[in-house]
Structure formats: C-alpha cells, structure tokens
Amino acid sequence: GMTPFDYPSFRPMELAAGNYPTYIGTGCLVIILAGAAYLMVKKAIRLEAPLGFLVTVILGRLIIDIQYDPYNTLVFVMTSGIAFSAFFLMSDVYTSVGRGVAAIVSGMVCGFVAVMVSLLGNDCLTMLVPVMVSGLISEFIKFADVAGRHSPVKGGEDLA
C-alpha cells in the first residue's frame, strides 16, 4: 500500500468514479454513497456509527496531512476503503453498537483506531482493523450505555 504521505495526484472526478487502483468494490464513492442511501431508505442501517467514524477519520487525517498536503486527506478517504468500511461494515448489526450516543462513541473510537493504523501505510489494515475493534468494544459500550441509564433505587432494596 501507499504510505500516508505519498498519494499520487488524482483529479476529484477520478476519485468519485473509482478510476484508480484499489481493493475491488471499495473505491467508487458514487456507488458506495448510492448503496448507503438505498440501505438508509430501506431502514437497514443507521448513520450514528458511520458518521462518527467518518468525521473522526477526516479530522484525524487532516491533522496529520495539514503539514504535508490536506488534499491527501480527500485522497485517503476515497482510496483506502474507509467510506466502504463506514457505511457497510461499521453499520453491520454484528459489529455496531446500534443507535444513539453509544453508536457515535463507538464510531469515534474506531475512527481514531483507523487514523492510527493508517500511519502504517496499509490500506487493507486501515479498512478492517477498526471494524474488528468495533466488534470487540460494542458489548462493553452497550453495557456502559445501559448501566448509565439505570440508576440504583434510593433507600436500598425493596422488601417485596
């Protein structure tokens, strides 16, 4: 894979159309967005985790790329499979937390992991490791979310 700092120059339309070498099925942003829109209309996915993930990845990569070329962030998001991961893997019922703040937090944690892994320069790892992390932390986040909403009853145990 390419290292985070040596992306070649692609024109924006080439990026949107997927006209560059990448993993099959993960590069054409137009098709990825169309598929995500279809799944949203069918209510098959929710957007909290994918958006938390994408916003974190974009901001994290901008912080890294600002010293070299901020255009690298756009190229990274469109060529690394991150958009594919966000909409089709981070929203999967088995790897996502579900809904609400817990899903946003899960997406943000996985986005941070994606940014850190992206520094290794392996787009395949960048695309898949955050999804594995999401699966690992999802039950913990669900537990913390439910536990936070159920406060103990004042006065101790009921005697019924």
Coordinates of all heavy atoms in Angstrom, one line a residue, residues 20 25-33 36 45 50 53-54 57-58 74-91 126-127:
Y20 N -9.1 4.5 -10.2 CA -7.8 4.4 -9.6 C -7.6 3.0 -9.0 O -8.6 2.3 -8.8 CB -7.5 5.5 -8.6 CG -8.6 5.5 -7.5 CD1 -8.5 4.6 -6.4 CD2 -9.7 6.2 -7.6 CE1 -9.5 4.6 -5.5 CE2 -10.7 6.2 -6.7 CZ -10.6 5.4 -5.6 OH -11.6 5.3 -4.7
G25 N -14.4 -3.1 -5.2 CA -15.7 -2.8 -4.5 C -15.6 -1.8 -3.4 O -16.6 -1.5 -2.8
T26 N -14.4 -1.3 -3.1 CA -14.2 -0.3 -2.0 C -13.9 1.1 -2.5 O -13.8 1.9 -1.6 CB -13.1 -0.8 -1.1 OG1 -11.9 -0.8 -1.7 CG2 -13.4 -2.2 -0.5
G27 N -13.8 1.3 -3.8 CA -13.2 2.6 -4.2 C -14.2 3.5 -4.9 O -13.9 4.7 -4.9
C28 N -15.3 3.1 -5.4 CA -16.1 4.0 -6.2 C -17.1 4.7 -5.2 O -18.1 4.1 -4.8 CB -16.9 3.2 -7.3 SG -17.9 4.4 -8.3
L29 N -16.8 5.9 -4.9 CA -17.5 6.6 -3.9 C -19.0 6.9 -4.3 O -19.9 6.8 -3.5 CB -16.9 8.0 -3.6 CG -17.4 8.7 -2.4 CD1 -17.2 8.0 -1.1 CD2 -16.8 10.1 -2.3
V30 N -19.2 7.1 -5.6 CA -20.6 7.3 -6.1 C -21.4 6.0 -5.8 O -22.5 6.1 -5.3 CB -20.6 7.6 -7.6 CG1 -22.0 7.6 -8.2 CG2 -19.8 8.9 -7.9
I31 N -20.9 4.8 -6.0 CA -21.6 3.6 -5.8 C -21.8 3.3 -4.3 O -22.8 2.9 -3.8 CB -20.9 2.4 -6.5 CG1 -20.9 2.6 -8.0 CG2 -21.6 1.1 -6.1 CD1 -22.3 2.7 -8.7
I32 N -20.7 3.6 -3.5 CA -20.8 3.5 -2.1 C -21.9 4.3 -1.5 O -22.7 3.9 -0.7 CB -19.4 3.7 -1.4 CG1 -18.5 2.6 -1.8 CG2 -19.6 3.9 0.1 CD1 -17.0 3.0 -1.4
L33 N -22.0 5.6 -1.9 CA -23.0 6.5 -1.4 C -24.4 6.1 -1.9 O -25.3 6.2 -1.1 CB -22.7 8.0 -1.8 CG -21.4 8.6 -1.1 CD1 -21.2 10.0 -1.7 CD2 -21.6 8.6 0.4
A36 N -25.4 3.2 0.3 CA -25.7 3.6 1.6 C -27.0 4.3 1.6 O -27.8 4.1 2.6 CB -24.6 4.6 2.1
I45 N -29.8 0.4 7.8 CA -28.7 0.9 8.6 C -29.0 2.2 9.2 O -30.0 2.9 8.8 CB -27.4 1.1 7.7 CG1 -27.7 2.2 6.6 CG2 -26.9 -0.2 7.1 CD1 -26.4 2.6 5.9
P50 N -21.4 5.2 11.5 CA -20.7 5.6 10.3 C -20.3 7.0 10.3 O -19.1 7.4 9.9 CB -21.6 5.2 9.2 CG -22.5 4.2 9.7 CD -22.7 4.5 11.1
F53 N -17.5 7.7 12.8 CA -16.3 7.1 12.3 C -15.7 8.0 11.2 O -14.5 8.4 11.3 CB -16.7 5.7 11.7 CG -15.5 5.0 11.0 CD1 -14.5 4.4 11.8 CD2 -15.5 4.9 9.6 CE1 -13.5 3.8 11.2 CE2 -14.4 4.2 9.0 CZ -13.4 3.6 9.8
L54 N -16.5 8.4 10.2 CA -16.0 9.3 9.1 C -15.5 10.6 9.6 O -14.5 11.1 9.2 CB -17.1 9.5 8.0 CG -17.2 8.3 7.0 CD1 -18.4 8.6 6.1 CD2 -15.9 8.1 6.3
V57 N -12.2 10.1 11.4 CA -11.1 9.8 10.4 C -10.7 11.1 9.6 O -9.5 11.4 9.5 CB -11.5 8.7 9.4 CG1 -10.6 8.6 8.3 CG2 -11.6 7.4 10.2
I58 N -11.7 11.8 9.1 CA -11.4 13.0 8.3 C -10.6 14.0 9.2 O -9.6 14.6 8.7 CB -12.7 13.6 7.7 CG1 -13.2 12.6 6.6 CG2 -12.4 15.0 7.1 CD1 -14.6 12.9 6.1
L74 N -8.5 13.9 1.4 CA -9.5 13.5 0.5 C -9.1 12.2 -0.3 O -9.9 11.3 -0.4 CB -9.7 14.7 -0.5 CG -10.8 14.4 -1.6 CD1 -12.2 14.2 -1.1 CD2 -10.7 15.5 -2.7
V75 N -7.9 12.2 -0.8 CA -7.4 11.0 -1.5 C -7.5 9.8 -0.6 O -7.9 8.7 -1.0 CB -6.0 11.3 -2.1 CG1 -5.5 10.0 -2.7 CG2 -6.0 12.4 -3.1
F76 N -7.0 9.9 0.7 CA -7.0 8.8 1.6 C -8.5 8.3 1.8 O -8.7 7.1 1.7 CB -6.4 9.3 2.9 CG -6.6 8.2 4.0 CD1 -5.9 7.1 4.1 CD2 -7.6 8.4 5.0 CE1 -6.1 6.1 5.0 CE2 -7.8 7.5 6.0 CZ -7.1 6.3 6.0
V77 N -9.4 9.2 2.1 CA -10.8 8.7 2.4 C -11.4 8.1 1.2 O -12.1 7.1 1.3 CB -11.6 9.9 2.8 CG1 -13.1 9.6 2.8 CG2 -11.2 10.4 4.2
M78 N -11.0 8.5 0.0 CA -11.7 8.0 -1.2 C -10.9 6.7 -1.8 O -11.5 6.0 -2.5 CB -11.8 9.0 -2.3 CG -12.7 10.1 -1.9 SD -12.8 11.4 -3.1 CE -14.4 11.1 -3.8
T79 N -9.7 6.5 -1.4 CA -9.0 5.4 -2.0 C -8.7 4.2 -1.0 O -8.3 3.2 -1.4 CB -7.6 5.8 -2.6 OG1 -6.8 6.4 -1.5 CG2 -7.8 6.8 -3.7
S80 N -8.8 4.5 0.3 CA -8.4 3.5 1.3 C -9.5 2.5 1.7 O -9.2 1.6 2.4 CB -7.9 4.2 2.5 OG -9.0 4.9 3.1
G81 N -10.7 2.7 1.2 CA -11.8 1.8 1.6 C -12.5 2.3 2.9 O -13.4 1.6 3.4
I82 N -12.1 3.5 3.4 CA -12.7 4.0 4.6 C -14.2 4.2 4.5 O -15.0 3.9 5.4 CB -12.0 5.2 5.1 CG1 -10.6 4.9 5.7 CG2 -12.8 6.1 6.1 CD1 -10.7 4.1 7.0
A83 N -14.6 4.8 3.3 CA -16.0 5.1 3.1 C -16.8 3.7 3.1 O -17.9 3.6 3.6 CB -16.2 5.9 1.8
F84 N -16.2 2.7 2.4 CA -16.8 1.4 2.4 C -17.0 0.9 3.8 O -18.1 0.4 4.2 CB -16.0 0.5 1.5 CG -16.5 -0.9 1.4 CD1 -17.5 -1.3 0.5 CD2 -16.1 -1.9 2.3 CE1 -18.0 -2.5 0.4 CE2 -16.6 -3.2 2.2 CZ -17.5 -3.5 1.3
S85 N -15.9 0.9 4.6 CA -16.0 0.5 6.0 C -17.1 1.2 6.8 O -17.8 0.6 7.5 CB -14.6 0.7 6.7 OG -13.7 -0.2 6.2
A86 N -17.1 2.5 6.6 CA -18.1 3.3 7.4 C -19.5 2.9 7.1 O -20.3 2.6 8.0 CB -17.9 4.8 7.0
F87 N -19.9 2.8 5.8 CA -21.3 2.6 5.5 C -21.7 1.1 5.5 O -22.9 0.8 5.8 CB -21.7 3.2 4.2 CG -21.6 4.7 4.3 CD1 -20.7 5.5 3.6 CD2 -22.5 5.4 5.1 CE1 -20.7 6.8 3.7 CE2 -22.5 6.8 5.2 CZ -21.6 7.5 4.5
F88 N -20.8 0.2 5.2 CA -21.2 -1.2 5.0 C -20.7 -2.1 6.2 O -21.3 -3.2 6.4 CB -20.8 -1.7 3.7 CG -21.4 -1.0 2.6 CD1 -20.6 -0.3 1.7 CD2 -22.8 -1.0 2.4 CE1 -21.2 0.5 0.7 CE2 -23.4 -0.2 1.4 CZ -22.6 0.5 0.5
L89 N -19.6 -1.7 6.8 CA -19.1 -2.6 7.9 C -19.4 -2.0 9.3 O -19.7 -2.8 10.2 CB -17.6 -2.8 7.7 CG -17.2 -3.4 6.3 CD1 -15.6 -3.5 6.2 CD2 -17.8 -4.7 6.1
M90 N -19.2 -0.7 9.4 CA -19.5 -0.1 10.7 C -21.0 -0.1 11.1 O -21.4 0.1 12.2 CB -19.0 1.3 10.8 CG -17.5 1.5 10.7 SD -16.6 0.7 12.1 CE -17.2 1.6 13.4
S91 N -21.8 -0.2 10.1 CA -23.3 -0.2 10.4 C -23.9 -1.6 10.4 O -25.1 -1.8 10.6 CB -24.0 0.6 9.3 OG -23.8 0.0 8.0
T126 N -6.1 -0.6 7.5 CA -6.9 0.6 7.8 C -8.3 0.4 7.7 O -9.1 0.9 8.4 CB -6.4 1.8 7.0 OG1 -5.0 2.0 7.2 CG2 -7.1 3.1 7.4
M127 N -8.7 -0.4 6.7 CA -10.1 -0.6 6.4 C -10.7 -1.6 7.4 O -11.9 -1.5 7.8 CB -10.3 -1.1 5.0 CG -11.7 -1.3 4.5 SD -11.8 -1.7 2.7 CE -10.8 -3.1 2.5

